[in-house]
Amino acid sequence: DAGVTQSPTHLIKTRGQQVTLRCSPKSGHDTVSWYQQALGQGPQFIFQYYEEEERQRGNFPDRFSGHQFPNYSSELNVNALLLGDSALYLCASSYRDRPYNEQFFGPGTRLTVL
Amino acid sequence: GNSVTQMEGPVTLSEEAFLTINCTYTATGYPSLFWYVQYPGEGLQLLLKATKADDKGSNKGFEATYRKETTSFHLEKGSVQVSDSAVYFCALGSGYALNFGKGTSLLVTP
């Protein structure tokens, strides 16, 4: 049973560039959430996608956008990169009927902005 | 808003010592509570959860009890091992999101 997978593992960009990160949910899951984890901090919720729609968003600017595909996989896009966007980006998947927000996390994509 | 506060680390213990990592929360309603663990170089793994007051979550020798009266969800283990060295995160379900604490780093020495 494949868990949550993310690509790429590492990424280096320069300020002002745009980046796309990808996530495939755990088998049987239909909901994808994205989190940003700065060094030494806990993960911060960016948004969650269900049925190809964003259904909850955290306190992140519009530069952060996402998409969910019919096969439930998801992309996170960040435009106009800032140095402060350097972080580990975590994808988590869950099943919509689970009422207790139980989410399973992927290994993350390490983004470095120079 | 909903939030969690957990004790600052790092925590250093000798093997077989007793572990407590404190976590308190602020929330409206009765959120689900979680402990996640992050081993070096890896993503987060769910360690245990509790969905209502007085529930006790347990896994791999770790336990935590959902205490509504003290708004707490402290993580405990009776005898830690070197392999328990990791960062531990307390989290609270808030709508569809998880609100995490800042994490507590645990180092267990032989």
Side-chain angles (χ1 to χ4, degrees), chain A residues 35 37 48 56 100-101 103, chain B residues 34 36 38 46 95-96 98:
Chain A
Y35 292 79
Q37 186 179 15
Q48 184 180 89
Q56 185 172 345
Y100 307 125
N101 305 93
Q103 299 180 10
Chain B
F34 305 84
Y36 279 83
Q38 189 172 36
L46 178 64
Y96 297 108
L98 289 171

Side-chain angles (χ1 to χ4, degrees), chain B residues 5-57:
Chain B
T5 302
Q6 57 182 110
M7 61 186 286
E8 298 279 334
V11 174
T12 303
L13 295 173
S14 298
E15 203 165 25
E16 299 184 1
F18 185 85
L19 168 71
T20 299
I21 300 178
N22 291 336
C23 172
T24 57
Y25 68 90
T26 301
T28 54
Y30 304 103
S32 298
L33 298 172
F34 305 84
W35 277 100
Y36 279 83
V37 59
Q38 189 172 36
Y39 297 101
E42 298 185 16
L44 293 164
Q45 299 178 22
L46 178 64
L47 183 58
L48 53 83
K49 69 179 189 291
T51 58
K52 61 182 186 297
D54 300 324
D55 265 3
K56 176 184 282 188

Side-chain angles (χ1 to χ4, degrees), chain B residues 36-109:
Chain B
Y36 279 83
V37 59
Q38 189 172 36
Y39 297 101
E42 298 185 16
L44 293 164
Q45 299 178 22
L46 178 64
L47 183 58
L48 53 83
K49 69 179 189 291
T51 58
K52 61 182 186 297
D54 300 324
D55 265 3
K56 176 184 282 188
S58 61
N59 186 28
K60 300 181 181 180
F62 291 90
E63 294 183 341
T65 301
Y66 190 159
R67 303 283 190 199
K68 189 179 69 172
E69 62 277 9
T70 55
T71 62
S72 65
F73 192 56
H74 304 321
L75 182 68
E76 297 182 335
K77 187 176 185 183
S79 177
V80 293
Q81 305 300 311
V82 171
S83 58
D84 294 327
S85 298
V87 181
Y88 293 81
F89 293 93
C90 184
L92 173 156
S94 180
Y96 297 108
L98 289 171
N99 288 0
F100 286 87
K102 293 185 176 182
T104 302
S105 175
L106 170 66
L107 176 64
V108 181
T109 58

